Amino acid sequence: MSSPRGLYAYASLDAAGEAEQAARRMEARAERPASAAMFAALVLPLLRPGQVVVEVGCGSGGLARRIVAAHDDLEVWATDKSAGMLAFARRAAADAPARLRFSQWEAGTPWPAELPARADLVVSAVTTPYLDEPALRRLLAELRQRTCPGGHVLFLEQDLASATVAHPDPNLAERISSEHVRVKRPWQGLGLRRYVREAGFSLLPRQSFLWTDERFSPYLRDLMTRYADDAVLDGLPPAEAARFIAGLEALDAEGECYYGMVYHRVLARVPDETAG
């Protein structure tokens, strides 16, 4: 699967040599206030003392570190297919409790033997868009078997149609962003719910969160610079690309910078067939 324009090759970071760069951007995003607010709204209410939690596609480990800090006796396993990403995540978690462990696992392949046989909660944030449909279905079938009866599987998924960036020249911003329209797959965003239901889970009510960045943060600078660089490769004059970035810097100086995107919580429960 090819990487979306303007983004790192998340499906093949090690082969592309981009794991370290991608991890740094993920970590910068995890440090934004909106990241903590989204965790508090969509993830924290599901955490209970004594749970075994498995994260699929942990990236830089920011979410796993927040999870393990929520309760003193949570057991957390953070997994990712990228060895380079896991190396970064382990370094970032040097001061985290030993209850946080890492394991290399490619979503869509069999459950690793070193993971606990069952999890009370499985969490995945923006991993499914980088799977093809067969791998997604294999992952859901595996999670259906490996999540405890009555346990939950939580997906945090981006609504790409909601992505918005403020710019003094909206036509220039549109020209650059239109060159990088990501291929939307049927299982992205709330479309994932159908696949989850077909895998035998019980779906819980929808819940969404507006993630906003009101500074031209390191994460946003990296993202928008990559968009502009790709546009230059497609024929945009370099001066226009520079003007695009300068416009964002000017808004930041005025306190008017804005970037936003809606995240949907796709939450499912494994039916407890022993319940009366």
Side-chain angles (χ1 to χ4, degrees):
M1 177 178 173
S2 61
S3 177
R5 298 296 303 275
L7 298 180
Y8 294 97
Y10 287 115
S12 55
L13 288 172
D14 294 336
E18 293 185 328
E20 180 76 17
Q21 297 163 284
R24 289 186 182 279
R25 183 166 87 178
M26 284 186 180
E27 195 67 9
R29 197 169 203 268
E31 293 172 355
R32 302 305 302 152
S35 180
M38 183 166 67
F39 173 80
L42 301 185
V43 182
L44 185 59
L46 298 173
L47 300 178
R48 301 286 184 271
Q51 285 176 320
V52 174
V53 182
V54 172
E55 183 181 5
V56 181
C58 69
S60 69
L63 176 56
R65 297 196 304 274
R66 283 197 168 107
I67 291 172
V68 80
H71 295 289
D72 289 339
D73 56 354
L74 283 175
E75 179 183 344
V76 181
W77 288 81
T79 73
D80 202 282
K81 69 178 288 186
S82 166
M85 193 70 84
L86 284 172
F88 183 100
R90 287 188 177 98
R91 293 196 304 271
D95 296 329
R99 295 177 286 107
L100 172 57
R101 303 176 180 89
F102 295 90
S103 176
Q104 190 169 12
W105 179 36
E106 180 176 355
T109 64
W111 189 266
E114 66 181 340
L115 294 186
R118 290 287 186 96
D120 300 295
L121 173 65
V122 177
V123 178
S124 174
V126 198
T127 296
T128 61
Y130 301 97
L131 305 177
D132 60 23
E133 186 170 354
L136 172 65
R137 292 190 182 278
R138 289 194 300 269
L139 172 64
L140 291 173
E142 192 76 28
L143 298 185
R144 176 67 175 79
Q145 295 299 316
R146 295 295 185 168
T147 306
C148 296
H152 294 87
V153 175
L154 163 65
F155 295 95
L156 296 178
E157 302 295 329
Q158 295 173 330
D159 184 341
L160 298 181
S162 70
T164 303
V165 59
H167 196 276
D169 186 341
N171 292 319
L172 174 61
E174 176 63 22
R175 180 180 176 187
I176 289 177
S177 63
S178 66
E179 295 292 334
H180 308 286
V181 174
R182 305 186 205 178
V183 176
K184 298 179 178 67
R185 299 180 178 272
W187 54 90
Q188 289 189 247
L190 289 173
L192 181 62
R193 287 172 60 87
R194 176 171 67 85
Y195 292 82
V196 172
R197 183 187 298 109
E198 290 174 355
F201 293 92
S202 298
L203 285 165
L204 279 73
R206 303 168 184 83
Q207 189 171 346
S208 302
F209 179 87
L210 176 59
W211 196 101
T212 62
D213 201 335
E214 297 178 355
R215 296 300 308 270
F216 195 38
S217 63
Y219 159 75
L220 194 56
R221 178 179 293 276
D222 180 88
L223 179 65
M224 294 300 153
T225 299
R226 289 176 69 89
Y227 273 24
D229 289 346
D230 279 352
V232 169
L233 294 177
D234 289 336
L236 182 78
E240 290 292 86
R243 187 164 69 87
F244 172 69
I245 298 300
L248 295 172
E249 291 173 340
L251 285 180
D252 188 47
E254 297 167 7
E256 294 297 332
C257 185
Y258 176 86
Y259 172 78
M261 179 183 288
V262 171
Y263 279 75
H264 298 300
R265 186 175 80 172
V266 176
L267 180 61
R269 182 177 180 273
V270 176
D272 187 350
E273 298 172 354
T274 65

